Amino acid sequence: MHIVFLGPPGAGKGTQADIISKKFNIKKISTGDILRSEMESETELGKIAKGYMEKGELVPDDIMIKIIQNYIRDLDRFILDGFPRTLNQALELEKIIKIDKVIYLNVPDEEIKNRLLKRGRLDDKPEVIENRIRVYREQTKPLIDYYKSKGILYEVDGIGNVEEITKRIEEILSLPHST
Ligand code: AMP
């Protein structure tokens, strides 16, 4: 099963992907986590990514696609958290592998801002948050319609407690898919 978690920053993708990953023993691949770990280790990639991440901009597609190619190679089950984030990334992903289900965690803007301000990560400063939401709206949101048109988009209400939302996701994952 190849799953993508889609949604605005602060929607709870990482939290839910972690829970589902453990419960079903499916590997979770978070591009944000990968980039943060590269940054901490001060690798070449980390240094490049830092400049974009600090501003709330997206790391260029060619870099991200290379990363994802490396990580999903040889995996027959995975959850992608934070990838794809652009239409180009989605198209490139499709060339590598078939995605079965896209879980779209829907959380309104106002709620997102509050959650991110509380979280306090390095890129959770107010001005960076605004930019990340703008980048999401302009570059990532179009993926909702894209995956809808492919018939693999499943929308989940992202408001509620963690357990409730996990249950909603589990219901979707138990539905049959086309492979
Ligand atoms: P996240 O932890 O998913 O919120 O990602 C944190 C930051 O990492 C983003 O704001 C981007 O700068 C960068 N990033 C993560 N995933 C991607 C991606 N698929 N494409 C481009 N940039 C990404």
Side-chain angles (χ1 to χ4, degrees):
M1 175 102 101
H2 305 147
I3 308 163
V4 165
F5 273 46
L6 188 66
K13 297 187 297 294
T15 306
Q16 292 297 335
D18 265 340
I19 297 172
I20 298 292
S21 153
K22 291 197 183 97
K23 222 165 170 170
F24 296 92
N25 192 27
I26 307 178
K27 192 164 166 54
K28 175 191 111 158
I29 300 162
S30 156
T31 44
D33 286 350
I34 294 168
L35 295 173
R36 277 183 289 277
S37 132
E38 295 282 338
M39 254 167 67
E40 269 164 40
S41 316
E42 295 181 358
T43 62
E44 250 345 277
L45 169 60
K47 283 178 203 160
I48 296 169
K50 191 169 184 230
Y52 294 97
M53 291 169 84
E54 280 178 345
K55 292 193 221 98
E57 298 289 338
L58 294 183
V59 174
D61 282 345
D62 55 336
I63 297 179
M64 297 313 300
I65 290 155
K66 265 188 215 138
I67 294 176
I68 221 69
Q69 271 171 341
N70 274 327
Y71 274 82
I72 62 177
R73 218 179 11 210
D74 306 327
L75 285 181
D76 62 336
R77 285 146 59 87
F78 59 76
I79 299 174
L80 291 179
D81 160 25
F83 187 97
R85 259 179 157 97
T86 65
L87 191 56
N88 187 27
Q89 289 180 10
L91 294 172
E92 290 299 322
L93 177 64
E94 226 170 67
K95 289 186 196 162
I96 314 172
I97 212 146
K98 181 175 173 294
I99 297 300
D100 301 307
K101 283 178 184 167
V102 176
I103 309 280
Y104 163 46
L105 273 179
N106 189 0
V107 178
D109 274 11
E110 271 319 301
E111 170 76 12
I112 284 163
K113 280 183 207 165
N114 292 335
R115 288 190 193 180
L116 291 174
L117 284 168
K118 270 191 222 146
R119 189 168 73 175
R121 212 169 67 187
L122 206 69
D123 54 351
D124 289 337
K125 296 188 199 89
E127 63 286 5
V128 182
I129 289 175
E130 286 299 333
N131 199 36
R132 284 166 59 209
I133 294 174
R134 184 185 59 78
V135 166
Y136 170 75
R137 202 183 300 127
E138 290 172 4
Q139 305 201 51
T140 309
K141 231 175 165 183
L143 293 180
I144 297 171
D145 279 340
Y146 174 72
Y147 284 123
K148 222 181 248 174
S149 75
K150 295 183 87 68
I152 56 171
L153 190 94
Y154 296 84
E155 183 168 338
V156 171
D157 180 1
I159 299 280
N161 68 41
V162 173
E163 293 77 18
E164 270 166 14
I165 297 167
T166 304
K167 234 184 243 162
R168 293 173 196 155
I169 296 171
E170 282 181 78
E171 269 167 33
I172 291 167
L173 296 182
S174 68
L175 298 172
H177 59 91
S178 58
T179 47

